[in-house]
Amino acid sequence: DKKLNNLIKDVKKELLKFPKGHPTEYAIYPKNLSEIYFDRRFRCGEDMYSILNIKREEKEKRREQFRKNFELFGAPVGIFVYIDRTMGYPQWSDVGMFIQSVLLLALENNLHTCAQESWASFHDLVNKHTKAPKNLMLFCGISIGYMDTSKVINNLKTERASLNEIAKFIGFD
């Protein structure tokens, strides 16, 4: 609606001055991301730009793709998820479980979603538009709508670690 469109317009203006966004209130990635996770993150980005036929040296095209985050990738609905600043790591995991529930409920209702921590880089603008109380910290945004299957990017399937790489089951012989 009008309120969401106004937020998107304000963020677009800010992106002209700060193409990578503002500093976030929390570290989206640890400073010393271990090699295995760094490699997976890097591969995901490379795969995305490859499917879009955007080369590494095409910085403006990469920035243009990044900016689509702040248009909710064309979705008509945006949800902004906050966490109380007094919460600790266990409650951050609760927020993750809540987000996953929202994503799964949307899918159950034939809607598509995209969780976007990128919105944390414009937390001040989002807070201004949502009138969030100061005790809350923006964690992420969620785009909700119908996937445009004609867009090549929506065919991207990121590589996943095998179950044996990420879990060990004991007592299930």
Side-chain angles (χ1 to χ4, degrees):
D1 74 349
K2 185 178 178 182
K3 289 180 182 184
L4 183 58
N5 288 332
N6 287 339
L7 169 60
I8 290 170
K9 283 179 193 173
D10 283 354
V11 171
K12 281 182 173 182
K13 287 180 202 169
E14 212 48 24
L15 278 164
L16 295 173
K17 295 182 273 185
F18 302 94
K20 293 182 179 180
H22 298 160
T24 58
E25 291 190 273
Y26 66 94
I28 291 176
Y29 294 103
K31 286 185 187 339
N32 298 316
L33 191 62
S34 66
E35 187 175 350
I36 190 168
Y37 299 113
F38 178 85
D39 290 347
R40 288 176 185 161
R41 178 177 172 236
F42 182 82
R43 169 48 86 201
C44 177
E46 289 298 300
D47 289 349
M48 179 187 71
Y49 289 118
S50 175
I51 201 169
L52 292 169
N53 201 26
I54 298 173
K55 295 177 179 37
R56 176 165 284 288
E57 60 275 5
E58 294 179 300
K59 300 297 184 198
E60 184 51 37
K61 285 185 178 181
R62 285 178 173 236
R63 281 191 288 274
E64 185 180 317
Q65 179 60 35
F66 174 72
R67 288 190 295 264
K68 290 179 182 180
N69 277 283
F70 305 104
E71 297 168 359
L72 300 166
F73 298 110
V77 174
I79 295 175
F80 296 100
V81 180
Y82 287 83
I83 187 167
D84 191 296
R85 294 175 184 282
T86 62
M87 296 296 123
Y89 295 130
Q91 291 76 45
W92 282 73
S93 69
D94 292 342
V95 169
M97 289 182 270
F98 169 79
I99 292 167
Q100 182 177 21
S101 295
V102 169
L103 304 181
L104 290 171
L105 284 167
L107 187 58
E108 186 177 300
N109 287 281
N110 299 313
L111 293 166
H112 298 95
T113 59
C114 181
Q116 301 170 268
E117 277 187 278
S118 56
W119 281 98
S121 63
F122 288 106
H123 56 90
D124 284 335
L125 276 175
V126 175
N127 294 347
K128 178 181 157 189
H129 283 267
T130 63
K131 297 179 179 26
K134 297 225 182 286
N135 66 305
L136 298 180
M137 181 187 314
L138 179 64
F139 175 67
C140 72
I142 301 173
S143 306
I144 300 180
Y146 297 102
M147 180 174 24
D148 182 348
T149 55
S150 71
K151 299 227 170 155
V152 69
I153 193 165
N154 291 326
N155 295 314
L156 175 64
K157 300 291 182 221
T158 55
E159 186 177 310
R160 299 287 188 224
S162 71
L163 188 58
N164 290 335
E165 286 181 76
I166 62 168
K168 182 175 182 179
F169 296 96
I170 300 171
F172 291 92
D173 299 339

